[in-house]
Amino acid sequence: MTPSRDLARLIEIMAALRTPGTGCAWDLAQSFESIVPYTIEETYEVADAVERGDREDLRDELGDLLLQVVFQARIAEEEGSFDFGSVVEAITTKLIRRHPHIFGDRRDLTADEVKRQWNEVKDAEKAERTRREARHGPRGSGQHLAGVQAGLPALLRSTKLQVRAAEVGFDWNDPRLVLAKIREEADEAEAALGDPPALADEIGDLMFAVVNLARHAGVDPETALRAANRKFERRFGHVERELQRRGASLEAASLDEMERLWQDAKVSEVPSTGKQRR
């Protein structure tokens, strides 16, 4: 096969990768559930390319994200649920329905009228979604938490779930109690070492408790974690550069040597107070 600007070629390539006997073993082993983490990752990489203003990278990342859509649609087609054409039909139907002032007979609307019309369409869609979910069974969240969207990033959804629960008094009234819960969850995670499924469950509880602490402290957990990521990159970069300056490599360095350089990086950082950290 040769590269193409034709979307049909991408769909053909995906079908070839998923063909038993002649396809790719890795692609054939995937399911809806197994490729969700890749879909989420590609979405964030699109956002990162936009933030950096790198249009060439944005083109590539949008392609990776499109692949995720084609991949999921192919799996659905194989099980007889829907195909890629159905996905396109669904979104075009939605866009036409939500813009009757463009594609229908309700033209020349004011901005306020467009907003009111949009809300009416969204309410109708929400009612239909509720009926559909009723046919497939409840998510299990109950009525009070049902308004928290399931597709949100995990950190954000954890915060929103906790806020909704706090509205009816299901909450701690002292951050120190949340810290105690974090210590309890950390102990349970330690007890689960050697049991991967149980450990995964306990790690989830631990992370949920940390998000709760962030909420009580008025800290956005996503922002805090992004800052921690940048700090890690900065300090690890210092370790790598110092090793290179000494003619050494990361692979050849001992853990003790890297730890000493890591501590040097911490000491050299200057907090917002303008005083050197000791």
Side-chain angles (χ1 to χ4, degrees):
M1 280 190 176
T2 57
S4 172
R5 298 174 67 92
D6 189 347
L7 184 57
R9 178 58 57 85
L10 175 60
I11 296 173
E12 290 175 1
I13 291 173
M14 189 70 255
L17 293 173
R18 290 278 299 182
T19 300
T22 58
C24 171
W26 186 89
D27 289 284
L28 283 164
Q30 303 313 304
S31 64
F32 289 120
E33 294 77 14
S34 69
I35 63 174
V36 163
Y38 300 103
T39 306
I40 295 172
E41 180 180 342
E42 297 300 350
T43 303
Y44 278 111
E45 289 184 356
V46 166
D48 177 65
V50 170
E51 290 176 358
R52 290 185 287 104
D54 188 335
R55 297 295 185 260
E56 184 175 358
D57 192 37
L58 176 59
R59 177 202 63 196
D60 292 344
E61 296 301 343
L62 285 171
D64 291 343
L65 184 58
L66 176 59
L67 173 62
Q68 297 301 310
V69 178
V70 173
F71 206 148
Q72 294 268 13
R74 177 62 194 183
I75 296 175
E77 183 177 359
E78 291 170 0
E79 72 172 19
S81 300
F82 57 84
D83 60 10
F84 184 81
S86 302
V87 174
V88 176
E89 182 181 23
I91 187 58
T92 54
T93 299
K94 183 181 296 184
L95 287 171
I96 294 170
R97 181 174 64 244
R98 290 183 177 181
H99 297 84
H101 56 294
I102 303 297
F103 304 110
D105 55 4
R106 298 186 64 183
R107 298 180 179 272
D108 301 322
L109 298 181
T110 66
D112 287 341
E113 289 172 335
V114 169
K115 183 177 180 180
R116 184 165 56 252
Q117 174 186 265
W118 177 272
N119 289 332
E120 291 172 356
V121 173
K122 290 284 288 183
D123 287 345
E125 291 176 352
K126 184 177 181 181
E128 173 57 29
R129 187 181 305 113
T130 300
R131 289 192 292 270
R132 185 167 63 246
E133 289 174 354
R135 292 196 298 270
H136 292 282
R139 287 179 181 165
S141 62
Q143 184 176 357
H144 189 71
L145 299 180
V148 182
Q149 293 176 313
L152 293 172
L155 285 177
L156 177 58
R157 189 160 194 265
S158 294
T159 304
K160 287 183 175 292
L161 287 170
Q162 292 169 14
V163 168
R164 291 300 299 272
E167 290 172 353
V168 293
F170 192 74
D171 196 12
W172 281 288
N173 56 13
D174 186 339
R176 285 182 288 265
L177 297 176
V178 186
L179 278 169
K181 182 63 176 177
I182 290 173
R183 296 186 186 101
E184 175 189 327
E185 296 296 352
D187 289 341
E188 292 180 0
E190 182 178 11
L193 290 172
D195 184 347
L199 181 59
D201 187 61
E202 296 301 342
I203 289 174
D205 291 343
L206 177 58
M207 295 176 69
F208 193 85
V210 171
V211 170
N212 210 340
L213 178 62
R215 180 176 61 86
H216 277 270
V219 174
D220 176 62
E222 176 69 22
T223 301
L225 186 55
R226 283 179 176 271
N229 289 341
R230 290 193 296 270
K231 181 166 57 179
F232 181 86
E233 289 177 307
R234 186 171 63 248
R235 292 176 179 176
F236 194 81
H238 171 82
V239 172
E240 186 174 16
R241 288 191 298 274
E242 281 299 303
L243 287 172
Q244 290 174 344
R245 189 177 64 81
R246 301 175 186 184
S249 66
L250 287 169
E251 292 77 11
S254 68
L255 180 58
D256 287 342
E257 187 176 9
M258 287 191 284
E259 177 61 25
R260 284 193 298 272
L261 291 172
W262 178 273
Q263 294 302 323
D264 289 344
K266 289 179 63 176
V267 170
S268 67
E269 290 181 350
V270 181
S272 58
T273 59
K275 298 179 181 178
Q276 189 177 42
R277 183 176 297 165
R278 300 295 180 184

